[in-house]
Amino acid sequence: MTRLAIFNCKGGVGKTTTTLNLAAVLARSGRLPYLVDMDPQAHLTRILDKLPETPATSLFALYSASATLRTLVQAHPGLGYLLPAHGQLMKVDSLFGKGPATLNRLRHGLEALEAELPGPVLIDCCPYVGVLSLSAVFAASAVLVPVSSDYLSLQGAKQIDHALKSLEPVLKQRLPRRYVLTRFDRRRRMGEDIRSRLRQEVGDDLCDTVISENVAVAMSPSLGQDVFSYQASSRGAQDYQALYQELQGAGLL
């Protein structure tokens, strides 16, 4: 089953928003996904109003108590299933180390879960390179890198590309990846300049689809909604539908 890690080591690029809205497209197409919130800030978990009262009912328990994902998953009607985050996830690096057992725990947990309840997986990664994000990459069948349309994000995209290339000897493969421009303002020349420069860096790994700067995309998470529930006719909804179709056509989702 497809497992897409949505990752960038720069915050504010639309990582969680992209996870949420791709999940909405999957659910609307009849493919209820698992949403894995690997970010200690728990933005995705908070948007869906599923924040656990204790770390024992969050993904932290996968590491601290070897809990099965089946015992942690929460159904979210109309969107799929959530494996919620908790602030204690920030301690995973220091408490459990960076050995293979820790780095592969998410992958093994997802394999067991999918054997019982198969479905596509979207992993919302934390915005830095550490045990949590590496665990997500090790568990993934592909990586999607949202890049907001500004020059600092362009530098972040180069860092991600370098990090993924450095992992290839460990993974023993080139992990399929795509870069998608977000917060794209068609009225400004800078957006096209960023797109041109990013194309030079990553070539065909850059998505043709861009996610436009859009009020509906920006507002919907604050109301606990995906963009389709908030305003299905918006440009933002159309862009995420197009992104889903592009990723699906490439066999990544």
PDB file of all heavy atoms in Angstrom, residues 13-14 17-18 21-22 144 146-149 180-186 195 207-214 217-218 227 235-244 246:
ATOM      1  N   VAL A  13       5.375  25.903   5.302  1.00  0.00           N
ATOM      2  CA  VAL A  13       5.349  25.683   3.854  1.00  0.00           C
ATOM      3  C   VAL A  13       4.062  24.992   3.391  1.00  0.00           C
ATOM      4  O   VAL A  13       3.888  24.734   2.203  1.00  0.00           O
ATOM      5  CB  VAL A  13       6.568  24.860   3.385  1.00  0.00           C
ATOM      6  CG1 VAL A  13       7.857  25.608   3.681  1.00  0.00           C
ATOM      7  CG2 VAL A  13       6.580  23.481   4.029  1.00  0.00           C
ATOM      8  N   GLY A  14       3.179  24.655   4.340  1.00  0.00           N
ATOM      9  CA  GLY A  14       1.930  24.005   3.973  1.00  0.00           C
ATOM     10  C   GLY A  14       1.962  22.493   4.097  1.00  0.00           C
ATOM     11  O   GLY A  14       1.150  21.797   3.485  1.00  0.00           O
ATOM     12  N   THR A  17      -1.262  21.321   6.010  1.00  0.00           N
ATOM     13  CA  THR A  17      -2.404  21.641   5.147  1.00  0.00           C
ATOM     14  C   THR A  17      -2.459  20.694   3.961  1.00  0.00           C
ATOM     15  O   THR A  17      -3.538  20.239   3.563  1.00  0.00           O
ATOM     16  CB  THR A  17      -2.306  23.094   4.657  1.00  0.00           C
ATOM     17  OG1 THR A  17      -2.269  23.970   5.789  1.00  0.00           O
ATOM     18  CG2 THR A  17      -3.495  23.457   3.783  1.00  0.00           C
ATOM     19  N   THR A  18      -1.304  20.382   3.395  1.00  0.00           N
ATOM     20  CA  THR A  18      -1.256  19.450   2.268  1.00  0.00           C
ATOM     21  C   THR A  18      -1.671  18.053   2.702  1.00  0.00           C
ATOM     22  O   THR A  18      -2.419  17.364   1.994  1.00  0.00           O
ATOM     23  CB  THR A  18       0.156  19.447   1.661  1.00  0.00           C
ATOM     24  OG1 THR A  18       0.425  20.750   1.114  1.00  0.00           O
ATOM     25  CG2 THR A  18       0.298  18.406   0.565  1.00  0.00           C
ATOM     26  N   ASN A  21      -5.530  18.053   3.148  1.00  0.00           N
ATOM     27  CA  ASN A  21      -6.337  18.169   1.931  1.00  0.00           C
ATOM     28  C   ASN A  21      -6.150  16.989   0.981  1.00  0.00           C
ATOM     29  O   ASN A  21      -7.090  16.611   0.275  1.00  0.00           O
ATOM     30  CB  ASN A  21      -6.036  19.496   1.239  1.00  0.00           C
ATOM     31  CG  ASN A  21      -6.587  20.663   2.038  1.00  0.00           C
ATOM     32  OD1 ASN A  21      -7.677  20.594   2.595  1.00  0.00           O
ATOM     33  ND2 ASN A  21      -5.826  21.749   2.119  1.00  0.00           N
ATOM     34  N   LEU A  22      -4.976  16.378   0.977  1.00  0.00           N
ATOM     35  CA  LEU A  22      -4.828  15.143   0.211  1.00  0.00           C
ATOM     36  C   LEU A  22      -5.656  14.022   0.839  1.00  0.00           C
ATOM     37  O   LEU A  22      -6.242  13.192   0.128  1.00  0.00           O
ATOM     38  CB  LEU A  22      -3.359  14.727   0.137  1.00  0.00           C
ATOM     39  CG  LEU A  22      -2.469  15.518  -0.827  1.00  0.00           C
ATOM     40  CD1 LEU A  22      -1.029  15.027  -0.742  1.00  0.00           C
ATOM     41  CD2 LEU A  22      -2.982  15.424  -2.270  1.00  0.00           C
ATOM     42  N   LEU A 144       6.767  13.542  -0.456  1.00  0.00           N
ATOM     43  CA  LEU A 144       6.282  14.782  -1.064  1.00  0.00           C
ATOM     44  C   LEU A 144       6.839  15.947  -0.266  1.00  0.00           C
ATOM     45  O   LEU A 144       6.677  15.993   0.962  1.00  0.00           O
ATOM     46  CB  LEU A 144       4.745  14.826  -1.068  1.00  0.00           C
ATOM     47  CG  LEU A 144       4.114  16.094  -1.641  1.00  0.00           C
ATOM     48  CD1 LEU A 144       4.407  16.225  -3.133  1.00  0.00           C
ATOM     49  CD2 LEU A 144       2.602  16.106  -1.392  1.00  0.00           C
ATOM     50  N   PRO A 146       6.529  19.860   0.187  1.00  0.00           N
ATOM     51  CA  PRO A 146       5.925  21.157  -0.110  1.00  0.00           C
ATOM     52  C   PRO A 146       6.969  22.264   0.029  1.00  0.00           C
ATOM     53  O   PRO A 146       7.752  22.277   0.977  1.00  0.00           O
ATOM     54  CB  PRO A 146       4.830  21.301   0.975  1.00  0.00           C
ATOM     55  CG  PRO A 146       4.688  19.945   1.590  1.00  0.00           C
ATOM     56  CD  PRO A 146       6.022  19.305   1.450  1.00  0.00           C
ATOM     57  N   VAL A 147       6.963  23.181  -0.921  1.00  0.00           N
ATOM     58  CA  VAL A 147       7.920  24.291  -0.932  1.00  0.00           C
ATOM     59  C   VAL A 147       7.141  25.573  -1.175  1.00  0.00           C
ATOM     60  O   VAL A 147       6.561  25.755  -2.247  1.00  0.00           O
ATOM     61  CB  VAL A 147       8.976  24.114  -2.046  1.00  0.00           C
ATOM     62  CG1 VAL A 147       9.997  25.248  -1.995  1.00  0.00           C
ATOM     63  CG2 VAL A 147       9.665  22.756  -1.941  1.00  0.00           C
ATOM     64  N   SER A 148       7.085  26.453  -0.188  1.00  0.00           N
ATOM     65  CA  SER A 148       6.380  27.713  -0.404  1.00  0.00           C
ATOM     66  C   SER A 148       7.189  28.573  -1.365  1.00  0.00           C
ATOM     67  O   SER A 148       8.412  28.454  -1.476  1.00  0.00           O
ATOM     68  CB  SER A 148       6.133  28.453   0.912  1.00  0.00           C
ATOM     69  OG  SER A 148       7.341  28.768   1.562  1.00  0.00           O
ATOM     70  N   SER A 149       6.492  29.440  -2.071  1.00  0.00           N
ATOM     71  CA  SER A 149       7.100  30.166  -3.196  1.00  0.00           C
ATOM     72  C   SER A 149       7.890  31.384  -2.720  1.00  0.00           C
ATOM     73  O   SER A 149       7.536  32.540  -2.967  1.00  0.00           O
ATOM     74  CB  SER A 149       6.004  30.582  -4.190  1.00  0.00           C
ATOM     75  OG  SER A 149       5.318  29.444  -4.648  1.00  0.00           O
ATOM     76  N   VAL A 180       6.358  20.116  -4.504  1.00  0.00           N
ATOM     77  CA  VAL A 180       5.187  20.872  -4.952  1.00  0.00           C
ATOM     78  C   VAL A 180       5.268  22.292  -4.397  1.00  0.00           C
ATOM     79  O   VAL A 180       5.501  22.498  -3.202  1.00  0.00           O
ATOM     80  CB  VAL A 180       3.869  20.189  -4.536  1.00  0.00           C
ATOM     81  CG1 VAL A 180       3.764  19.997  -3.017  1.00  0.00           C
ATOM     82  CG2 VAL A 180       2.665  20.966  -5.059  1.00  0.00           C
ATOM     83  N   LEU A 181       5.099  23.274  -5.269  1.00  0.00           N
ATOM     84  CA  LEU A 181       5.104  24.670  -4.839  1.00  0.00           C
ATOM     85  C   LEU A 181       3.766  25.021  -4.207  1.00  0.00           C
ATOM     86  O   LEU A 181       2.704  24.732  -4.768  1.00  0.00           O
ATOM     87  CB  LEU A 181       5.372  25.590  -6.027  1.00  0.00           C
ATOM     88  CG  LEU A 181       6.831  25.671  -6.467  1.00  0.00           C
ATOM     89  CD1 LEU A 181       6.948  26.382  -7.806  1.00  0.00           C
ATOM     90  CD2 LEU A 181       7.672  26.391  -5.413  1.00  0.00           C
ATOM     91  N   THR A 182       3.832  25.632  -3.040  1.00  0.00           N
ATOM     92  CA  THR A 182       2.643  26.076  -2.325  1.00  0.00           C
ATOM     93  C   THR A 182       2.669  27.595  -2.167  1.00  0.00           C
ATOM     94  O   THR A 182       3.692  28.235  -2.427  1.00  0.00           O
ATOM     95  CB  THR A 182       2.563  25.424  -0.934  1.00  0.00           C
ATOM     96  OG1 THR A 182       3.717  25.820  -0.162  1.00  0.00           O
ATOM     97  CG2 THR A 182       2.548  23.894  -1.041  1.00  0.00           C
ATOM     98  N   ARG A 183       1.521  28.146  -1.772  1.00  0.00           N
ATOM     99  CA  ARG A 183       1.392  29.597  -1.593  1.00  0.00           C
ATOM    100  C   ARG A 183       1.872  30.327  -2.847  1.00  0.00           C
ATOM    101  O   ARG A 183       2.561  31.342  -2.773  1.00  0.00           O
ATOM    102  CB  ARG A 183       2.157  30.049  -0.345  1.00  0.00           C
ATOM    103  CG  ARG A 183       1.731  29.344   0.929  1.00  0.00           C
ATOM    104  CD  ARG A 183       2.451  29.860   2.145  1.00  0.00           C
ATOM    105  NE  ARG A 183       2.114  31.256   2.387  1.00  0.00           N
ATOM    106  CZ  ARG A 183       2.628  31.976   3.386  1.00  0.00           C
ATOM    107  NH1 ARG A 183       3.497  31.433   4.212  1.00  0.00           N
ATOM    108  NH2 ARG A 183       2.272  33.234   3.536  1.00  0.00           N
ATOM    109  N   PHE A 184       1.495  29.797  -3.984  1.00  0.00           N
ATOM    110  CA  PHE A 184       1.953  30.306  -5.273  1.00  0.00           C
ATOM    111  C   PHE A 184       1.061  31.462  -5.717  1.00  0.00           C
ATOM    112  O   PHE A 184      -0.146  31.307  -5.888  1.00  0.00           O
ATOM    113  CB  PHE A 184       1.901  29.180  -6.310  1.00  0.00           C
ATOM    114  CG  PHE A 184       2.577  29.514  -7.606  1.00  0.00           C
ATOM    115  CD1 PHE A 184       3.942  29.385  -7.753  1.00  0.00           C
ATOM    116  CD2 PHE A 184       1.834  29.952  -8.696  1.00  0.00           C
ATOM    117  CE1 PHE A 184       4.577  29.686  -8.957  1.00  0.00           C
ATOM    118  CE2 PHE A 184       2.450  30.249  -9.899  1.00  0.00           C
ATOM    119  CZ  PHE A 184       3.826  30.118 -10.027  1.00  0.00           C
ATOM    120  N   ASP A 185       1.661  32.631  -5.885  1.00  0.00           N
ATOM    121  CA  ASP A 185       0.933  33.833  -6.296  1.00  0.00           C
ATOM    122  C   ASP A 185       1.206  34.076  -7.780  1.00  0.00           C
ATOM    123  O   ASP A 185       2.311  34.471  -8.169  1.00  0.00           O
ATOM    124  CB  ASP A 185       1.379  35.033  -5.468  1.00  0.00           C
ATOM    125  CG  ASP A 185       0.481  36.252  -5.668  1.00  0.00           C
ATOM    126  OD1 ASP A 185      -0.222  36.306  -6.704  1.00  0.00           O
ATOM    127  OD2 ASP A 185       0.483  37.145  -4.806  1.00  0.00           O
ATOM    128  N   ARG A 186       0.186  33.825  -8.596  1.00  0.00           N
ATOM    129  CA  ARG A 186       0.351  33.940 -10.048  1.00  0.00           C
ATOM    130  C   ARG A 186       0.534  35.388 -10.512  1.00  0.00           C
ATOM    131  O   ARG A 186       0.901  35.628 -11.656  1.00  0.00           O
ATOM    132  CB  ARG A 186      -0.853  33.308 -10.749  1.00  0.00           C
ATOM    133  CG  ARG A 186      -1.016  31.839 -10.408  1.00  0.00           C
ATOM    134  CD  ARG A 186      -2.327  31.265 -10.921  1.00  0.00           C
ATOM    135  NE  ARG A 186      -2.560  29.927 -10.401  1.00  0.00           N
ATOM    136  CZ  ARG A 186      -2.067  28.809 -10.932  1.00  0.00           C
ATOM    137  NH1 ARG A 186      -1.333  28.886 -12.021  1.00  0.00           N
ATOM    138  NH2 ARG A 186      -2.323  27.638 -10.386  1.00  0.00           N
ATOM    139  N   ARG A 195       9.847  28.797  -9.314  1.00  0.00           N
ATOM    140  CA  ARG A 195       9.526  27.563 -10.031  1.00  0.00           C
ATOM    141  C   ARG A 195      10.643  27.195 -11.012  1.00  0.00           C
ATOM    142  O   ARG A 195      11.036  26.032 -11.108  1.00  0.00           O
ATOM    143  CB  ARG A 195       8.193  27.695 -10.765  1.00  0.00           C
ATOM    144  CG  ARG A 195       7.887  26.471 -11.611  1.00  0.00           C
ATOM    145  CD  ARG A 195       6.423  26.193 -11.804  1.00  0.00           C
ATOM    146  NE  ARG A 195       5.667  27.239 -12.448  1.00  0.00           N
ATOM    147  CZ  ARG A 195       4.376  27.114 -12.793  1.00  0.00           C
ATOM    148  NH1 ARG A 195       3.727  25.972 -12.542  1.00  0.00           N
ATOM    149  NH2 ARG A 195       3.729  28.107 -13.367  1.00  0.00           N
ATOM    150  N   CYS A 207       6.496  18.884  -9.290  1.00  0.00           N
ATOM    151  CA  CYS A 207       5.127  18.701  -9.765  1.00  0.00           C
ATOM    152  C   CYS A 207       4.739  19.803 -10.743  1.00  0.00           C
ATOM    153  O   CYS A 207       5.130  20.971 -10.576  1.00  0.00           O
ATOM    154  CB  CYS A 207       4.140  18.722  -8.586  1.00  0.00           C
ATOM    155  SG  CYS A 207       4.217  17.283  -7.510  1.00  0.00           S
ATOM    156  N   ASP A 208       3.957  19.460 -11.733  1.00  0.00           N
ATOM    157  CA  ASP A 208       3.384  20.467 -12.615  1.00  0.00           C
ATOM    158  C   ASP A 208       2.333  21.284 -11.881  1.00  0.00           C
ATOM    159  O   ASP A 208       2.171  22.483 -12.124  1.00  0.00           O
ATOM    160  CB  ASP A 208       2.750  19.795 -13.832  1.00  0.00           C
ATOM    161  CG  ASP A 208       3.788  19.135 -14.742  1.00  0.00           C
ATOM    162  OD1 ASP A 208       4.921  19.648 -14.822  1.00  0.00           O
ATOM    163  OD2 ASP A 208       3.463  18.100 -15.355  1.00  0.00           O
ATOM    164  N   THR A 209       1.621  20.632 -10.963  1.00  0.00           N
ATOM    165  CA  THR A 209       0.599  21.315 -10.168  1.00  0.00           C
ATOM    166  C   THR A 209       1.250  22.260  -9.166  1.00  0.00           C
ATOM    167  O   THR A 209       2.282  21.934  -8.569  1.00  0.00           O
ATOM    168  CB  THR A 209      -0.246  20.286  -9.387  1.00  0.00           C
ATOM    169  OG1 THR A 209      -0.820  19.353 -10.307  1.00  0.00           O
ATOM    170  CG2 THR A 209      -1.350  20.959  -8.597  1.00  0.00           C
ATOM    171  N   VAL A 210       0.667  23.433  -8.983  1.00  0.00           N
ATOM    172  CA  VAL A 210       1.049  24.337  -7.903  1.00  0.00           C
ATOM    173  C   VAL A 210      -0.184  24.591  -7.040  1.00  0.00           C
ATOM    174  O   VAL A 210      -1.316  24.513  -7.516  1.00  0.00           O
ATOM    175  CB  VAL A 210       1.619  25.674  -8.428  1.00  0.00           C
ATOM    176  CG1 VAL A 210       2.881  25.451  -9.231  1.00  0.00           C
ATOM    177  CG2 VAL A 210       0.578  26.435  -9.248  1.00  0.00           C
ATOM    178  N   ILE A 211       0.055  24.868  -5.768  1.00  0.00           N
ATOM    179  CA  ILE A 211      -1.019  25.204  -4.846  1.00  0.00           C
ATOM    180  C   ILE A 211      -1.048  26.723  -4.699  1.00  0.00           C
ATOM    181  O   ILE A 211      -0.133  27.325  -4.149  1.00  0.00           O
ATOM    182  CB  ILE A 211      -0.833  24.540  -3.469  1.00  0.00           C
ATOM    183  CG1 ILE A 211      -0.629  23.027  -3.630  1.00  0.00           C
ATOM    184  CG2 ILE A 211      -2.021  24.845  -2.567  1.00  0.00           C
ATOM    185  CD1 ILE A 211      -1.757  22.288  -4.303  1.00  0.00           C
ATOM    186  N   SER A 212      -2.078  27.329  -5.227  1.00  0.00           N
ATOM    187  CA  SER A 212      -2.164  28.785  -5.263  1.00  0.00           C
ATOM    188  C   SER A 212      -2.363  29.378  -3.866  1.00  0.00           C
ATOM    189  O   SER A 212      -2.932  28.738  -2.973  1.00  0.00           O
ATOM    190  CB  SER A 212      -3.330  29.222  -6.150  1.00  0.00           C
ATOM    191  OG  SER A 212      -3.224  28.671  -7.441  1.00  0.00           O
ATOM    192  N   GLU A 213      -1.883  30.600  -3.696  1.00  0.00           N
ATOM    193  CA  GLU A 213      -2.232  31.380  -2.502  1.00  0.00           C
ATOM    194  C   GLU A 213      -3.747  31.553  -2.521  1.00  0.00           C
ATOM    195  O   GLU A 213      -4.311  32.081  -3.479  1.00  0.00           O
ATOM    196  CB  GLU A 213      -1.540  32.731  -2.550  1.00  0.00           C
ATOM    197  CG  GLU A 213      -1.669  33.556  -1.284  1.00  0.00           C
ATOM    198  CD  GLU A 213      -0.729  33.082  -0.199  1.00  0.00           C
ATOM    199  OE1 GLU A 213       0.472  33.373  -0.272  1.00  0.00           O
ATOM    200  OE2 GLU A 213      -1.233  32.425   0.730  1.00  0.00           O
ATOM    201  N   ASN A 214      -4.426  31.077  -1.473  1.00  0.00           N
ATOM    202  CA  ASN A 214      -5.880  31.012  -1.526  1.00  0.00           C
ATOM    203  C   ASN A 214      -6.468  31.162  -0.132  1.00  0.00           C
ATOM    204  O   ASN A 214      -6.007  30.526   0.816  1.00  0.00           O
ATOM    205  CB  ASN A 214      -6.286  29.660  -2.145  1.00  0.00           C
ATOM    206  CG  ASN A 214      -7.773  29.506  -2.323  1.00  0.00           C
ATOM    207  OD1 ASN A 214      -8.425  28.869  -1.506  1.00  0.00           O
ATOM    208  ND2 ASN A 214      -8.323  30.086  -3.376  1.00  0.00           N
ATOM    209  N   VAL A 217      -7.859  27.858   1.445  1.00  0.00           N
ATOM    210  CA  VAL A 217      -6.799  26.978   1.944  1.00  0.00           C
ATOM    211  C   VAL A 217      -6.278  27.488   3.285  1.00  0.00           C
ATOM    212  O   VAL A 217      -6.027  26.710   4.211  1.00  0.00           O
ATOM    213  CB  VAL A 217      -5.656  26.878   0.919  1.00  0.00           C
ATOM    214  CG1 VAL A 217      -4.434  26.176   1.525  1.00  0.00           C
ATOM    215  CG2 VAL A 217      -6.122  26.117  -0.312  1.00  0.00           C
ATOM    216  N   ALA A 218      -6.121  28.801   3.395  1.00  0.00           N
ATOM    217  CA  ALA A 218      -5.587  29.390   4.624  1.00  0.00           C
ATOM    218  C   ALA A 218      -6.573  29.330   5.782  1.00  0.00           C
ATOM    219  O   ALA A 218      -6.190  29.103   6.939  1.00  0.00           O
ATOM    220  CB  ALA A 218      -5.182  30.835   4.361  1.00  0.00           C
ATOM    221  N   VAL A 227     -10.171  21.897   2.890  1.00  0.00           N
ATOM    222  CA  VAL A 227     -10.611  22.943   1.976  1.00  0.00           C
ATOM    223  C   VAL A 227     -11.872  22.545   1.211  1.00  0.00           C
ATOM    224  O   VAL A 227     -12.685  23.403   0.842  1.00  0.00           O
ATOM    225  CB  VAL A 227      -9.469  23.329   1.007  1.00  0.00           C
ATOM    226  CG1 VAL A 227      -9.193  22.214  -0.002  1.00  0.00           C
ATOM    227  CG2 VAL A 227      -9.760  24.644   0.292  1.00  0.00           C
ATOM    228  N   ARG A 235     -10.373  27.815  -5.637  1.00  0.00           N
ATOM    229  CA  ARG A 235      -9.178  27.505  -6.414  1.00  0.00           C
ATOM    230  C   ARG A 235      -8.283  26.543  -5.642  1.00  0.00           C
ATOM    231  O   ARG A 235      -7.660  25.634  -6.214  1.00  0.00           O
ATOM    232  CB  ARG A 235      -8.406  28.796  -6.745  1.00  0.00           C
ATOM    233  CG  ARG A 235      -7.133  28.584  -7.563  1.00  0.00           C
ATOM    234  CD  ARG A 235      -7.460  27.918  -8.896  1.00  0.00           C
ATOM    235  NE  ARG A 235      -6.292  27.633  -9.696  1.00  0.00           N
ATOM    236  CZ  ARG A 235      -5.850  28.434 -10.673  1.00  0.00           C
ATOM    237  NH1 ARG A 235      -6.452  29.590 -10.924  1.00  0.00           N
ATOM    238  NH2 ARG A 235      -4.811  28.087 -11.388  1.00  0.00           N
ATOM    239  N   GLY A 236      -8.224  26.718  -4.330  1.00  0.00           N
ATOM    240  CA  GLY A 236      -7.410  25.830  -3.505  1.00  0.00           C
ATOM    241  C   GLY A 236      -7.868  24.387  -3.592  1.00  0.00           C
ATOM    242  O   GLY A 236      -7.047  23.465  -3.699  1.00  0.00           O
ATOM    243  N   ALA A 237      -9.187  24.163  -3.554  1.00  0.00           N
ATOM    244  CA  ALA A 237      -9.715  22.808  -3.682  1.00  0.00           C
ATOM    245  C   ALA A 237      -9.379  22.220  -5.046  1.00  0.00           C
ATOM    246  O   ALA A 237      -8.991  21.050  -5.163  1.00  0.00           O
ATOM    247  CB  ALA A 237     -11.224  22.813  -3.445  1.00  0.00           C
ATOM    248  N   GLN A 238      -9.498  23.028  -6.076  1.00  0.00           N
ATOM    249  CA  GLN A 238      -9.160  22.563  -7.426  1.00  0.00           C
ATOM    250  C   GLN A 238      -7.681  22.186  -7.521  1.00  0.00           C
ATOM    251  O   GLN A 238      -7.324  21.186  -8.159  1.00  0.00           O
ATOM    252  CB  GLN A 238      -9.497  23.655  -8.442  1.00  0.00           C
ATOM    253  CG  GLN A 238     -10.985  23.957  -8.557  1.00  0.00           C
ATOM    254  CD  GLN A 238     -11.257  25.202  -9.383  1.00  0.00           C
ATOM    255  OE1 GLN A 238     -10.407  25.670 -10.135  1.00  0.00           O
ATOM    256  NE2 GLN A 238     -12.453  25.756  -9.247  1.00  0.00           N
ATOM    257  N   ASP A 239      -6.827  22.983  -6.882  1.00  0.00           N
ATOM    258  CA  ASP A 239      -5.392  22.692  -6.924  1.00  0.00           C
ATOM    259  C   ASP A 239      -5.075  21.375  -6.223  1.00  0.00           C
ATOM    260  O   ASP A 239      -4.268  20.571  -6.723  1.00  0.00           O
ATOM    261  CB  ASP A 239      -4.607  23.828  -6.264  1.00  0.00           C
ATOM    262  CG  ASP A 239      -4.571  25.097  -7.107  1.00  0.00           C
ATOM    263  OD1 ASP A 239      -4.922  25.031  -8.305  1.00  0.00           O
ATOM    264  OD2 ASP A 239      -4.201  26.154  -6.559  1.00  0.00           O
ATOM    265  N   TYR A 240      -5.676  21.132  -5.055  1.00  0.00           N
ATOM    266  CA  TYR A 240      -5.389  19.892  -4.340  1.00  0.00           C
ATOM    267  C   TYR A 240      -5.966  18.683  -5.057  1.00  0.00           C
ATOM    268  O   TYR A 240      -5.387  17.593  -5.019  1.00  0.00           O
ATOM    269  CB  TYR A 240      -5.867  19.972  -2.888  1.00  0.00           C
ATOM    270  CG  TYR A 240      -4.827  20.615  -2.000  1.00  0.00           C
ATOM    271  CD1 TYR A 240      -5.018  21.873  -1.448  1.00  0.00           C
ATOM    272  CD2 TYR A 240      -3.617  19.975  -1.749  1.00  0.00           C
ATOM    273  CE1 TYR A 240      -4.051  22.473  -0.660  1.00  0.00           C
ATOM    274  CE2 TYR A 240      -2.637  20.569  -0.965  1.00  0.00           C
ATOM    275  CZ  TYR A 240      -2.862  21.806  -0.424  1.00  0.00           C
ATOM    276  OH  TYR A 240      -1.887  22.396   0.340  1.00  0.00           O
ATOM    277  N   GLN A 241      -7.090  18.857  -5.741  1.00  0.00           N
ATOM    278  CA  GLN A 241      -7.622  17.778  -6.560  1.00  0.00           C
ATOM    279  C   GLN A 241      -6.636  17.448  -7.687  1.00  0.00           C
ATOM    280  O   GLN A 241      -6.366  16.277  -7.984  1.00  0.00           O
ATOM    281  CB  GLN A 241      -8.971  18.178  -7.147  1.00  0.00           C
ATOM    282  CG  GLN A 241      -9.635  17.123  -8.026  1.00  0.00           C
ATOM    283  CD  GLN A 241     -10.126  15.924  -7.241  1.00  0.00           C
ATOM    284  OE1 GLN A 241     -10.710  16.079  -6.164  1.00  0.00           O
ATOM    285  NE2 GLN A 241      -9.898  14.721  -7.759  1.00  0.00           N
ATOM    286  N   ALA A 242      -6.084  18.494  -8.304  1.00  0.00           N
ATOM    287  CA  ALA A 242      -5.112  18.296  -9.390  1.00  0.00           C
ATOM    288  C   ALA A 242      -3.834  17.643  -8.874  1.00  0.00           C
ATOM    289  O   ALA A 242      -3.244  16.785  -9.543  1.00  0.00           O
ATOM    290  CB  ALA A 242      -4.804  19.635 -10.056  1.00  0.00           C
ATOM    291  N   LEU A 243      -3.397  18.041  -7.670  1.00  0.00           N
ATOM    292  CA  LEU A 243      -2.188  17.442  -7.094  1.00  0.00           C
ATOM    293  C   LEU A 243      -2.407  15.951  -6.845  1.00  0.00           C
ATOM    294  O   LEU A 243      -1.541  15.122  -7.155  1.00  0.00           O
ATOM    295  CB  LEU A 243      -1.822  18.153  -5.795  1.00  0.00           C
ATOM    296  CG  LEU A 243      -0.612  17.574  -5.043  1.00  0.00           C
ATOM    297  CD1 LEU A 243       0.657  17.649  -5.905  1.00  0.00           C
ATOM    298  CD2 LEU A 243      -0.405  18.307  -3.714  1.00  0.00           C
ATOM    299  N   TYR A 244      -3.560  15.606  -6.293  1.00  0.00           N
ATOM    300  CA  TYR A 244      -3.879  14.194  -6.068  1.00  0.00           C
ATOM    301  C   TYR A 244      -3.823  13.412  -7.378  1.00  0.00           C
ATOM    302  O   TYR A 244      -3.224  12.328  -7.441  1.00  0.00           O
ATOM    303  CB  TYR A 244      -5.255  14.067  -5.420  1.00  0.00           C
ATOM    304  CG  TYR A 244      -5.801  12.656  -5.434  1.00  0.00           C
ATOM    305  CD1 TYR A 244      -5.292  11.685  -4.576  1.00  0.00           C
ATOM    306  CD2 TYR A 244      -6.808  12.296  -6.318  1.00  0.00           C
ATOM    307  CE1 TYR A 244      -5.780  10.392  -4.590  1.00  0.00           C
ATOM    308  CE2 TYR A 244      -7.298  10.997  -6.342  1.00  0.00           C
ATOM    309  CZ  TYR A 244      -6.788  10.060  -5.473  1.00  0.00           C
ATOM    310  OH  TYR A 244      -7.271   8.767  -5.510  1.00  0.00           O
ATOM    311  N   GLU A 246      -2.213  14.113 -10.086  1.00  0.00           N
ATOM    312  CA  GLU A 246      -0.840  14.015 -10.584  1.00  0.00           C
ATOM    313  C   GLU A 246      -0.054  12.953  -9.826  1.00  0.00           C
ATOM    314  O   GLU A 246       0.666  12.148 -10.425  1.00  0.00           O
ATOM    315  CB  GLU A 246      -0.146  15.370 -10.483  1.00  0.00           C
ATOM    316  CG  GLU A 246       1.263  15.363 -11.042  1.00  0.00           C
ATOM    317  CD  GLU A 246       1.918  16.733 -11.107  1.00  0.00           C
ATOM    318  OE1 GLU A 246       1.214  17.746 -10.860  1.00  0.00           O
ATOM    319  OE2 GLU A 246       3.125  16.782 -11.428  1.00  0.00           O
TER     320      GLU A 246
END
